[in-house]
């Protein structure tokens, strides 16, 4: 059995990017964005078990990219599902680690410090998620009315979200429900409150062309 597994979710088509192909394959620097993300986990722990979820129709293209860029980091490919929930369900069937992280394939700037903090925190906790405080003012919209909220009561949630394997696998035995937007929301139905750790500011999720421009600016500092 592996000590650590990571599920890298790249099963979507990235329609918000308005690109000819999924955002995870867009070039960032001198290689596809997804390769940048995988390399971070391999650098952190070379023996880590990497489970990569991809859209069914793009698996062959990914394999071509591996040849083109001489990408040889070991990983297992699974197919993405209808929702992120189903993608993670598929990937969990291949995970053998005692602890499992789930990370967005389009977050290529998670720091090594944060990876260590997340996994180390699992020694005392069953669920660990990285978050950032909100800097801007926040308002709640209801119909034609809005209400100012106290931003100190809210956090921005990032990945990797890390769990004891038994807990995560048990949580994903349920059926999909609206509102299951991340793994912590699934685990929260059966498990303890997640332990929150501070994410790194650069750990952005690249979903739009504007995000890609920010990523290009961040690249020299990663």
């Amino acid at each position: 059995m592996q000590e650590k597994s990571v599920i890298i979710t790249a099963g979507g088509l990235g329609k918000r990017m308005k690109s000819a192909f999924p955002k995870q394959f867009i070039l960032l620097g001198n290689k596809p964005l997804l390769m940048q993300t995988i390399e971070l986990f391999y650098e952190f722990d070379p023996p880590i078990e990497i489970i990569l979820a991809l859209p069914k129709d793009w698996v062959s293209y990914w394999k071509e990219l591996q040849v083109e860029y001489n990408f040889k980091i070991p990983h297992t490919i699974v197919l993405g599902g209808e929702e992120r929930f189903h993608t993670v369900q598929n990937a969990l069937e291949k995970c053998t680690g005692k602890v499992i992280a789930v990370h967005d394939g389009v977050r290529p700037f998670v720091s090594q410090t944060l990876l260590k903090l997340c996994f180390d925190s699992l020694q005392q906790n069953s669920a660990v998620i990285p978050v950032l405080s909100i800097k801007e003012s926040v308002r709640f919209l209801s119909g034609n009315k809005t209400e100012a909220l106290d931003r100190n009561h809210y956090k921005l949630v990032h990945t990797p979200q890390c769990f004891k394997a038994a807990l995560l696998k048990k949580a994903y035995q349920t059926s999909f429900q609206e509102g299951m937007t991340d793994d912590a929301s699934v685990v929260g139905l059966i498990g303890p409150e997640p332990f929150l750790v501070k994410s790194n500011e650069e750990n952005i999720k690249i979903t739009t062309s504007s995000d890609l421009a920010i990523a290009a600016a961040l690249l020299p500092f990663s």
Side-chain angles (χ1 to χ4, degrees):
M1 175 181 286
Q2 293 281 345
E3 183 64 32
K4 303 183 187 75
S5 297
V6 58
I7 296 169
I8 296 181
T9 59
L13 298 177
K15 295 178 181 178
R16 281 176 290 180
M17 185 65 76
K18 297 181 181 179
S19 171
F21 52 92
K23 58 193 175 185
Q24 55 268 38
F25 303 132
I26 291 174
L27 284 184
L28 180 60
N30 61 357
K31 67 185 70 172
L33 191 164
L34 184 55
M35 290 183 182
Q36 305 269 12
T37 303
I38 293 173
E39 286 175 348
L40 293 174
F41 285 87
Y42 183 75
E43 178 185 346
F44 170 68
D45 182 26
I48 196 169
E49 178 183 57
I50 299 172
I51 311 298
L52 176 62
L54 293 172
K56 179 180 179 180
D57 294 339
W58 290 87
V59 172
S60 59
Y61 181 70
W62 170 249
K63 292 181 178 180
E64 292 172 8
L65 287 177
Q66 291 181 75
V67 174
E68 180 178 352
Y69 290 90
N70 195 31
F71 188 76
K72 297 182 178 179
I73 294 178
H75 60 278
T76 299
I77 295 173
V78 299
L79 300 182
E82 181 178 353
E83 302 285 348
R84 185 183 187 281
F85 174 90
H86 303 108
T87 295
V88 175
Q89 267 190 334
N90 293 344
L92 282 172
E93 295 180 4
K94 299 293 184 181
C95 288
T96 64
K98 297 177 182 177
V99 295
I100 301 173
V102 186
H103 187 67
D104 300 316
V106 289
R107 287 190 191 269
F109 297 115
V110 58
S111 71
Q112 297 295 302
T113 299
L114 178 58
L115 291 179
K116 185 176 189 305
L117 178 59
C118 286
F119 279 104
D120 285 354
S121 297
L122 282 175
Q123 296 176 21
Q124 302 295 328
N125 302 277
S126 298
V128 178
I129 62 173
V131 300
L132 282 181
S133 296
I134 297 175
K135 298 178 181 178
E136 294 84 358
S137 295
V138 179
R139 296 192 71 85
F140 175 74
L141 174 63
S142 177
N144 295 323
K145 297 181 179 180
T146 67
E147 176 186 356
L149 301 178
D150 184 350
R151 64 189 174 197
N152 293 313
H153 292 306
Y154 299 87
K155 298 291 183 182
L156 299 174
V157 179
H158 287 182
T159 65
Q161 298 186 8
C162 301
F163 307 89
K164 297 286 180 65
L167 173 63
L168 187 62
K169 290 182 177 182
K170 181 179 179 181
Y172 269 93
Q173 290 175 4
T174 188
S175 299
F176 174 71
Q177 302 174 32
E178 293 296 331
M180 289 180 169
T181 57
D182 67 353
D183 309 287
S185 61
V186 180
V187 171
L189 295 177
I190 67 161
E193 286 292 316
F195 182 72
L196 306 184
V197 298
K198 184 179 179 181
S199 186
N200 60 292
E201 294 274 358
E202 303 81 12
N203 188 18
I204 64 172
K205 185 177 182 181
I206 301 174
T207 57
T208 67
S209 55
S210 296
D211 296 331
L212 189 61
I214 294 171
L218 287 172
L219 194 59
F221 305 102
S222 63

